[in-house]
Amino acid sequence: MTPLTAVHRSRMERQHDPRDGRRRYGKKIWAGSAGNMVEWFDWFVYASFAPYFASAFFPEGDATAQLMNTAGVFAVGFFLRPAGGWLLGRVADRRGRKAALTLTVSLMSASALLLALAPTYGVAGYGGAAVLLLARLLQGLSVGGEYAAGATYLTEAAPPHRRGFASSFQYVSMTLGQILGPALLLLLQHTLSDAALHGWGWRVPFAVGALGAGVVLRLRRSLLETEVYARDGAGAAGGAHAGPGDRGALRALLRHKREALLVVALTVGGTVAYYTYTTYLTRYLANTAGLPPRTATLVSLVALLVFAALQPLAGALSDRVGRRPLLITFALGSAFLTVPLLTLLARARSFWPALGLSLVALLVVTGYTSVNACVKAELFPTGVRALGVALPYALANAAFGGTAEYVALWFRNAGLEGGFAWYVAGCAAVSLLVYATMRETRDLDLARVTAPPSPPPAGETGATAPASPRTAS
């Protein structure tokens, strides 16, 4: 037996080894979803460490003004999300899912590194604030595209009967990012003095974020393109009659106006509920229920750990019963249980009642979070799938999810805090109407989702698809 034959035989054996197949499948899931963990980690640590680094980038004086300037820079990231959704969704449809996933995590790594190394006001004047702003611009772009690129890759890379399970890891990784952020904050608060945190300690989480993004980047560079994209995306965008130039183009997305509006509508109720019971929960328990901050933080962390564990279970369930039953269950639960749940949470005076109620709320939200990524990806054809998920989702998330906490605080400051619960329930009711009337997407063949035909360019009777990129096995 020649060495070449031996190598070939070894590769064939690995290809048919079930354990090796499971390892490759696990790598796809981890690589496709891990960027969300880095994204949410970076997003959290900026907001939570702002009191420690605000004075480093702006002139001495009013501490409130320093925080407001820092918060203003933070808000810039939200405005860039839709732009990031459009840009990176276009890259994913034109250049491939791997290219977009690699680009998003590269932007994350660059933004975190800029924050970790940014010069202070005392060294560079407002130059440090300019670096801060640039980092947030890069982060906003990456956040806008990461979700869609990951959702599209996970949905396409999974076997048809496992798409719900695979794409549910989007929210596993997002939740882990939310857990790791406050965990690092608590660790540094217990190990460093307040002076050290203000002096240099605030740079540590951004260095950790840059390192984490670097690890994910290395992992993603070894990924193979999805077979669905390699087979279908390289030749058509909005359908079999569209030319290669339509891939990732807005004109191709406009042929799917109904699906794009559907993404917006089905996102509204879910994103408001998700932000309410994750990012806003700790503040609600501390400010409204009156729990000690550490108790409120512990309730949130434990609830989020359980929530993360529920995602794959619910995703696998959707592969058996369909996506719509879970979405409808979420919308019914959110519409009818939000008001009593938030009312009872406001009266929780200890850890266990607060934890129990939080788990009930997050169990309801799981009906949305576990399946929404694959539902959106399943609505669009290959050549416009990433953009179709990215842009409508980014717009809806910025308008409703990103503003949920501000709306809650507006109701509180107006003396109408109970009104926020009705707002969350109302958003869920809107999405319920959509879930009840939309088609089931579980059994759709991703390669056969098509768009209304568009006429070919003048003088052109057909197009030859370019060579397919390397495919994932």
Side-chain angles (χ1 to χ4, degrees):
M1 182 182 292
T2 65
L4 180 61
T5 304
V7 171
H8 178 72
R9 187 176 189 180
S10 176
R11 287 177 178 173
M12 292 294 292
E13 289 174 351
R14 289 198 303 271
Q15 184 175 357
H16 295 286
D17 184 355
R19 292 173 299 179
D20 190 55
R22 286 193 294 269
R23 285 193 294 269
R24 291 199 305 270
Y25 183 52
K27 179 182 177 181
K28 292 177 186 177
I29 291 177
W30 169 240
S33 62
N36 282 297
M37 180 176 67
V38 178
E39 165 200 318
W40 278 83
F41 174 85
D42 288 345
W43 204 263
F44 177 88
V45 297
Y46 184 101
S48 57
F49 280 85
Y52 295 107
F53 67 75
S55 59
F57 295 104
F58 299 98
E60 294 182 6
D62 187 358
T64 301
Q66 292 174 340
L67 280 174
M68 288 181 66
N69 288 330
T70 307
V73 174
F74 179 77
V76 169
F78 280 97
F79 293 110
L80 264 291
R81 282 188 175 193
W86 167 77
L87 175 63
L88 293 166
R90 182 177 174 85
V91 170
D93 286 329
R94 295 184 69 86
R95 303 297 181 186
R97 317 313 188 200
K98 175 184 175 180
L101 287 170
T102 303
L103 180 56
T104 59
V105 78
S106 298
L107 292 173
M108 291 178 202
S109 181
S111 65
L113 192 60
L114 282 172
L115 287 166
L117 301 177
T120 63
Y121 180 83
V123 172
Y126 282 107
V131 173
L132 196 68
L133 178 61
L134 175 61
R136 287 296 300 162
L137 291 173
L138 294 176
Q139 194 176 61
L141 287 173
S142 67
V143 167
E146 169 63 28
Y147 170 85
T152 303
Y153 180 85
L154 290 171
T155 303
E156 291 181 351
H161 64 286
R162 303 273 285 180
R163 293 199 301 243
F165 172 79
S167 61
S168 69
F169 281 85
Q170 284 282 79
Y171 276 86
V172 174
S173 59
M174 289 168 67
T175 305
L176 289 177
Q178 289 182 268
I179 293 170
L180 292 174
L184 182 57
L185 173 62
L186 291 174
L187 176 64
L188 292 178
Q189 286 175 334
H190 280 82
T191 56
L192 297 178
S193 66
D194 190 67
L197 277 171
H198 280 85
W200 58 269
W202 59 266
R203 298 182 185 272
V204 172
F206 299 115
V208 171
L211 178 62
V215 172
V216 176
L217 174 61
R218 182 175 181 180
L219 182 65
R220 285 182 171 179
R221 290 182 65 182
S222 66
L223 283 177
L224 303 180
E225 189 54 81
T226 68
E227 291 182 358
V228 173
Y229 179 82
R231 183 177 63 249
D232 306 313
H241 299 277
D246 272 356
R247 294 199 307 267
L250 286 175
R251 61 179 175 271
L253 181 59
L254 289 176
R255 291 196 287 273
H256 293 271
K257 291 187 289 290
R258 182 180 182 277
E259 287 77 10
L261 292 173
L262 189 60
V263 169
V264 173
L266 67 86
T267 300
V268 169
T271 193
V272 170
Y274 176 75
Y275 274 84
T276 297
Y277 293 117
T278 56
T279 59
Y280 181 58
L281 179 64
T282 302
R283 182 173 295 188
Y284 185 79
L285 291 175
N287 295 343
T288 302
L291 290 178
R294 288 192 179 183
T295 302
T297 300
L298 184 60
V299 168
S300 182
L301 290 178
V302 174
L304 287 174
L305 279 172
V306 177
F307 176 68
L310 289 173
Q311 303 309 300
L313 299 178
L317 178 62
S318 79
D319 287 326
R320 290 180 172 271
V321 304
R323 322 300 186 208
R324 288 178 68 245
L326 273 73
L327 290 170
I328 291 172
T329 300
F330 151 71
L332 286 171
S334 188
F336 291 102
L337 295 180
T338 294
V339 173
L341 279 173
L342 287 179
T343 301
L344 291 173
L345 277 169
R347 299 172 182 172
R349 296 294 181 265
S350 61
F351 173 83
W352 290 109
L355 177 62
L357 292 167
S358 300
L359 289 176
V360 171
L362 288 173
L363 178 62
V364 171
V365 175
T366 296
Y368 167 80
T369 54
S370 60
V371 301
N372 85 91
C374 64
V375 168
K376 294 165 186 172
E378 288 165 342
L379 290 172
F380 297 93
T382 304
V384 76
R385 182 169 291 131
L387 180 63
V389 175
L391 186 56
Y393 170 78
L395 290 170
N397 197 48
F400 293 94
T403 60
E405 185 169 349
Y406 297 100
V407 173
L409 294 175
W410 181 87
F411 275 108
R412 177 180 173 84
N413 292 334
L416 303 169
E417 189 166 18
F420 177 67
W422 289 102
Y423 169 77
V424 177
C427 290
V430 171
S431 289
L432 175 61
L433 296 176
V434 177
Y435 304 153
T437 56
M438 67 181 287
R439 61 177 173 171
E440 176 58 62
T441 63
R442 179 193 63 175
D443 297 322
L444 292 177
D445 183 351
L446 296 182
R448 297 178 66 86
V449 180
T450 59
S454 60
E460 184 176 317
T461 59
T464 301
S468 297
R470 197 171 164 214
T471 62
S473 58

